[in-house]
Amino acid sequence: MAGPVKRSVSIAGHSTSITLEPVFWDALVRAAEEEGLPLNALVARIDVERIEQDDLPNLASAIRVWLFRRVSARI
């Protein structure tokens, strides 16, 4: 399995770096395509949900959890 990959995304007009394993990047790109959103827009949406939580996880963790819940909801 390949190690984590750092990519820059734009959220609310500012760039931020996110480090995820390739399998999560692939799943995130697929989810954005399926939802008809640009990748940055999906990440921004996940970020808004993350900020609303009492226990604020980091963005990479929030993305992993969001992807896991999305897959779990389909099973």
Side-chain angles (χ1 to χ4, degrees):
M1 179 157 93
V5 175
K6 183 183 274 191
R7 294 188 185 169
S8 181
V9 296
S10 179
I11 301 174
H14 71 276
S15 290
T16 187
S17 294
I18 302 171
T19 303
L20 293 169
E21 295 76 7
V23 67
F24 288 107
W25 279 118
D26 292 344
L28 189 61
V29 168
R30 229 177 0 262
E33 290 171 354
E34 290 173 5
E35 302 218 5
L37 294 171
L39 182 64
N40 289 343
L42 179 56
V43 171
R45 190 173 83 188
I46 294 168
D47 191 43
V48 167
E49 293 174 13
R50 174 186 78 93
I51 292 169
E52 293 173 350
Q53 296 180 23
D54 290 331
D55 183 22
L56 194 66
N58 69 48
L59 184 53
S61 294
I63 290 169
R64 289 183 190 96
V65 169
W66 187 90
L67 289 167
F68 178 79
R69 288 183 177 152
R70 185 173 192 271
V71 169
S72 294
R74 294 179 173 195
I75 297 176

